[in-house]
Amino acid sequence: MSIDYVELRDLATETIKEFGVPCIVHTLGGGNYDVETGGLIQSNGATRQGWCVNESIGFNFGAHGSKGSQRSSAVEVEAGDRIVMVNAETVVLSGDVLTIDGEDWRCLSVEANAPASVVLMYTAHLRK
């Protein structure tokens, strides 16, 4: 008996859409150095439509920011932070900005839930 991870991804997306809200993911474009001006020329980033659901219930906050954590202070959980699950079709990267219910949130860290190299969903740590 084999596990159909694509079917699981579709089920995860369906569930996030049912219980979540629409979101917009903005990936900031990179820049190129302008030798004439000495400045940075910003390129356009990408924007993707997706769905997300608040996942703070049951999140192990001790793993992110306890004094013994191996992670940097940038991913320590602070008051007002949000943990969300985002559907797999909406690729989320650290540094992206997610617009949820008209509010912008910066993605500090993200983990892809990807058994057998099939992304089922993303779990993102957000901060205003």
Side-chain angles (χ1 to χ4, degrees):
M1 180 175 138
S2 65
I3 298 172
D4 185 354
Y5 289 106
V6 173
E7 184 179 330
L8 287 176
R9 180 194 61 211
D10 294 344
L11 179 61
T13 296
E14 191 178 301
T15 304
I16 290 171
K17 284 182 177 181
E18 182 178 349
F19 295 103
V21 296
C23 66
I24 302 170
V25 178
H26 309 277
T27 298
L28 304 177
N32 294 318
Y33 180 73
D34 185 346
V35 293
E36 293 179 13
T37 64
L40 187 67
I41 302 170
Q42 193 78 344
S43 63
N44 292 334
T47 301
R48 298 175 298 285
Q49 301 284 331
W51 290 85
C52 66
V53 65
N54 192 10
E55 200 271 320
S56 294
I57 297 173
F59 182 75
N60 182 5
F61 285 103
H64 289 273
S66 65
K67 293 296 181 190
S69 176
Q70 297 292 325
R71 299 176 185 236
S72 69
S73 62
V75 294
E76 290 184 0
V77 176
E78 293 181 2
D81 283 3
R82 195 173 197 182
I83 305 297
V84 296
M85 292 182 296
V86 182
N87 65 308
E89 296 80 8
T90 307
V91 178
V92 180
L93 306 169
S94 291
D96 285 354
V97 175
L98 281 73
T99 303
I100 304 169
D101 292 330
E103 296 180 326
D104 289 340
W105 297 81
R106 185 171 39 96
C107 180
L108 299 177
S109 65
V110 64
E111 292 183 22
N113 183 339
S117 299
V118 176
V119 176
L120 303 180
M121 71 182 105
Y122 294 95
T123 303
H125 175 190
L126 308 179
R127 181 172 296 153
K128 277 193 172 187

